[in-house]
């Protein structure tokens, strides 16, 4: 419960958590570590490590190890499959893509990965994972029946199912690099029904203004990924986002 409590305590204290997603496949482990260092300098609360393609195995291990040398915030795995488990992380978002049509993303990868989570002593943080339009790479790979942008009630139905199945967190995303994030209306509807359960929102959030709209609508945690790969000054960019949502 250590990392989950850490995140929940920040929500209690600051209102919103900022998570930086680093994809090990997008750069070398050393470069990932530099990005992580800069993001923590900018005030990010924790790091999510994972990606849809080619982000596992020794590349994942090396990335986590290099990042660990640079930062003290929690390192949370965000696995695309059972291959996304590393013994060097602090915790894992143990998630099920509830709106997938492919059982391997709902329970099979979870079953294949669970013995490793146990063996490595990783903290599992149970999470309902939902992908909404446009869905991006994760929507395609995860064979998600994408939640239509203008149908908050469908997102709510899945989120409630996750909550009733005992998942503590719900992560809804529009896909990495989406043109626009999840609508404030959908975020608001989800938070209303989730109550004390935490809501995480990501995909297509690029600036402080947009992050603030998501947070004000009800997101407890904001995830940004692409911007740290693109920003000339990662620390300044993360600072912009963090100050907007914790303002
Ligand atoms: C991926 O939603 C996150 O799960 C990150 O999205 O890359 O658009 O920030 P971005």
């Amino acid at each position: 419960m250590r990392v989950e409590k850490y995140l929940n305590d920040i929500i209690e204290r600051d209102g919103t958590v900022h998570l930086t997603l680093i994809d090990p496949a997008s750069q070398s482990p050393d470069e990932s570590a530099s990005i992580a260092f800069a993001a923590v300098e900018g005030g990010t609360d924790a790091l999510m490590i994972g990606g849809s393609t080619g982000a596992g195995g020794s590349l994942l291990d090396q990335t986590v190890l290099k990042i660990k040398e640079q930062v003290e915030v929690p390192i949370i795995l965000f696995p695309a499959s059972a291959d996304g488990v590393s013994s060097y992380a602090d915790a894992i978002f143990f998630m099920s893509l509830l709106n997938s049509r492919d059982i391997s993303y709902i329970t099979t990868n979870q079953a294949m990965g669970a013995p490793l989570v146990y063996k490595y002593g990783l903290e599992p943080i149970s999470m309902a994972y939902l992908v909404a339009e446009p869905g991006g790479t994760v929507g395609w790979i995860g064979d998600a029946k994408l939640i239509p942008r203008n149908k908050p009630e469908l997102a709510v139905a899945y989120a409630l199912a996750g909550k009733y199945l005992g998942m503590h967190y719900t992560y809804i995303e529009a896909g990495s690099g989406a043109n626009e994030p999840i609508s404030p209306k959908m975020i608001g509807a989800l938070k209303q029904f989730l109550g004390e359960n935490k809501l995480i929102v990501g995909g297509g959030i690029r600036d402080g203004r947009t992050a603030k709209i998501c947070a004000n609508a009800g997101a407890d945690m904001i995830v940004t990924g692409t911007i740290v790969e693109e920003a000339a000054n990662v620390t300044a960019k993360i600072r912009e986002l963090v100050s907007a949502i914790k303002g």
Side-chain angles (χ1 to χ4, degrees), residues 151-239:
K151 294 285 180 192
E153 65 273 22
L154 294 179
V156 166
Y158 274 106
L160 275 179
K163 178 176 171 173
Y164 296 157
L165 283 165
M167 293 154 173
H168 309 169
Y169 288 2
T170 299
Y171 181 23
I172 186 159
E173 72 155 306
S176 183
N179 283 337
E180 49 183 352
I182 302 296
S183 75
K185 194 171 171 192
M186 189 178 280
I187 295 171
L190 284 165
K191 189 57 195 168
Q192 183 192 330
F193 284 91
L194 283 171
E196 286 306 301
N197 276 40
K198 306 302 180 214
L199 176 63
I200 309 174
V201 174
I205 299 168
R206 296 177 176 80
D207 54 46
R209 191 182 149 271
T210 312
K212 193 177 174 65
I213 290 171
C214 294
N216 286 348
D220 296 300
M221 303 188 218
I222 298 289
V223 179
T224 60
T226 304
I227 47 151
V228 290
E229 292 169 17
E230 293 177 348
N233 185 332
V234 171
T235 300
K237 192 65 192 174
I238 296 296
R239 195 167 282 141

Side-chain angles (χ1 to χ4, degrees), residues 15-76:
T16 316
V17 158
H18 180 265
L19 300 171
T20 295
L21 172 65
I22 294 178
D23 184 347
S26 294
Q27 58 278 309
S28 71
D30 281 317
E31 285 163 339
S32 288
S34 302
I35 289 172
F37 182 80
V40 172
E41 285 281 291
T44 202
D45 295 302
L47 300 162
M48 284 164 68
I49 312 295
S52 297
T53 49
S58 72
L59 177 62
L60 175 64
D61 281 341
Q62 288 309 312
T63 300
V64 173
L65 279 170
K66 289 284 180 185
I67 290 175
K68 235 179 163 172
E69 287 172 11
Q70 295 287 329
V71 306
E72 298 206 334
V73 301
I75 299 174
I76 307 166

